[in-house]
Amino acid sequence: MRKNIVAGNWKMNKNLQEGLALATELNDILSSAKPNCEVVIGTPFIHLAKVVEAVNTDTIKVSAQNCADKVSGAYTGEISAEMVKSTGATHVILGHSERRAYYGETAEILKEKVELALANGLTPIFCIGEVLEERESGKHFDVVKAQISESLFGLSTEDFGKIVLAYEPVWAIGTGKTASPEQAQEIHAFIRQTVADKYGKEVADNTSILYGGSCKPSNAKELFSNPDVDGGLIGGASLKAEDFKGIIDAF
Ligand code: PGA
């Protein structure tokens, strides 16, 4: 059966010392109060190896926020999936809307990244979601369907089974505006059906689909109580151990 997951996305926040302090604090809190879900923290690249050492990775999985679309070689400044794996990280966030919007990540580039992540044994947390205009004009279903099919539907059934999806409406990210529980359930059910149409019901039922976008302790329970919402991808509220723990406690 699919897992419930709460994953933090620190984005470009916290220097190394601050990041280590946050990871250590979270590790201390969760070692005395075991979570009822899988917990992942998505740190900047430079934090990965040290954070892996600082936490109990049975309780806290460590994730990168990106990886290169190339295997290795003359790509100055890039970090490969193999390098991410070598830090002890187990997950990688791919296709975040900020990367699509600010760094020109296309469906084709993301397809390469997903394949390299999987080839290196990393679990991709693959983000999809529409912008406000698309939601207001009723195109959100088509948008997320295209994002999934263009980057992921070339995968074998076995490989697709390793993907975690994160639905993040762009209009809800960092805005304080959250999708209503009804909006989240409606589109999560649609996403699951889209997966079922391609890979069958069993694969769809086993796929974890997270919600992201201004998720916080006060709204997490309502969002996660929907049958097709299997947890959250958390930005702002993952930067304070207490808030993040408040969201984990929704399970
Ligand atoms: P937010 O970000 O929780 O700060 O809205 C979510 C995300 O971008 O993953």
Side-chain angles (χ1 to χ4, degrees):
M1 254 332 262
R2 61 186 184 250
K3 286 182 205 160
N4 290 324
I5 303 170
V6 173
N9 175 11
W10 292 2
K11 308 193 180 185
M12 196 175 74
N13 292 295
K14 308 278 177 194
N15 67 27
L16 181 58
Q17 291 73 30
E18 292 164 347
L20 272 175
L22 174 58
T24 305
E25 189 186 355
L26 188 68
N27 189 60
D28 289 347
I29 294 174
L30 295 184
S31 53
S32 50
K34 288 275 175 230
N36 290 321
C37 61
E38 185 167 292
V39 174
V40 182
I41 51 178
T43 81
F45 287 127
I46 62 147
H47 299 53
L48 291 174
K50 290 242 178 195
V51 166
V52 166
E53 277 173 21
V55 302
N56 174 355
T57 51
D58 290 336
T59 307
I60 303 178
K61 314 277 179 219
V62 182
S63 177
Q65 301 170 15
N66 182 27
C67 70
D69 60 340
K70 303 286 193 301
V71 174
S72 65
Y75 301 103
T76 302
E78 287 293 290
I79 306 286
S80 70
E82 194 209 339
M83 292 172 186
V84 170
K85 180 71 180 178
S86 73
T87 66
T90 50
H91 291 62
V92 57
I93 298 168
L94 291 173
H96 191 279
S97 60
E98 287 151 15
R99 298 224 45 99
R100 293 178 192 259
Y102 309 147
Y103 302 98
E105 293 195 356
T106 61
E108 195 50 43
I109 291 171
L110 290 170
K111 190 167 179 278
E112 301 295 323
K113 293 189 178 198
V114 167
E115 282 167 11
L116 286 166
L118 289 170
N120 285 283
L122 294 169
T123 300
I125 301 174
F126 189 79
C127 305
I128 52 180
E130 80 286 353
V131 299
L132 187 59
E133 259 176 24
E134 292 163 339
R135 161 74 53 173
E136 285 177 341
S137 57
K139 294 196 188 111
H140 46 296
F141 295 111
D142 290 343
V143 169
V144 298
K145 189 174 183 171
Q147 288 170 333
I148 297 170
S149 63
E150 287 168 13
S151 296
L152 302 179
F153 280 0
L155 295 173
S156 67
T157 304
E158 191 191 342
D159 275 347
F160 188 88
K162 298 170 186 159
I163 303 279
V164 172
L165 293 174
Y167 167 69
E168 300 201 300
V170 179
W171 46 272
I173 295 178
T175 57
K177 217 174 146 183
T178 316
S180 68
E182 295 74 25
Q183 284 174 322
Q185 171 55 27
E186 179 187 41
I187 197 148
H188 278 234
F190 171 81
I191 292 165
R192 198 175 306 284
Q193 187 58 47
T194 301
V195 174
D197 291 344
K198 171 74 184 171
Y199 291 103
K201 188 171 180 320
E202 195 183 337
V203 172
D205 283 345
N206 285 327
T207 303
S208 296
I209 309 176
L210 314 184
Y211 168 80
S214 299
C215 189
K216 39 187 185 271
S218 58
N219 60 24
K221 210 173 185 127
E222 222 187 344
L223 286 161
F224 299 173
S225 63
N226 285 293
D228 288 297
V229 180
D230 308 310
L233 180 57
I234 319 299
S238 72
L239 295 173
K240 277 200 192 133
E242 199 185 311
D243 291 347
F244 196 51
K245 172 70 164 57
I247 294 172
I248 291 166
D249 285 348
F251 283 116

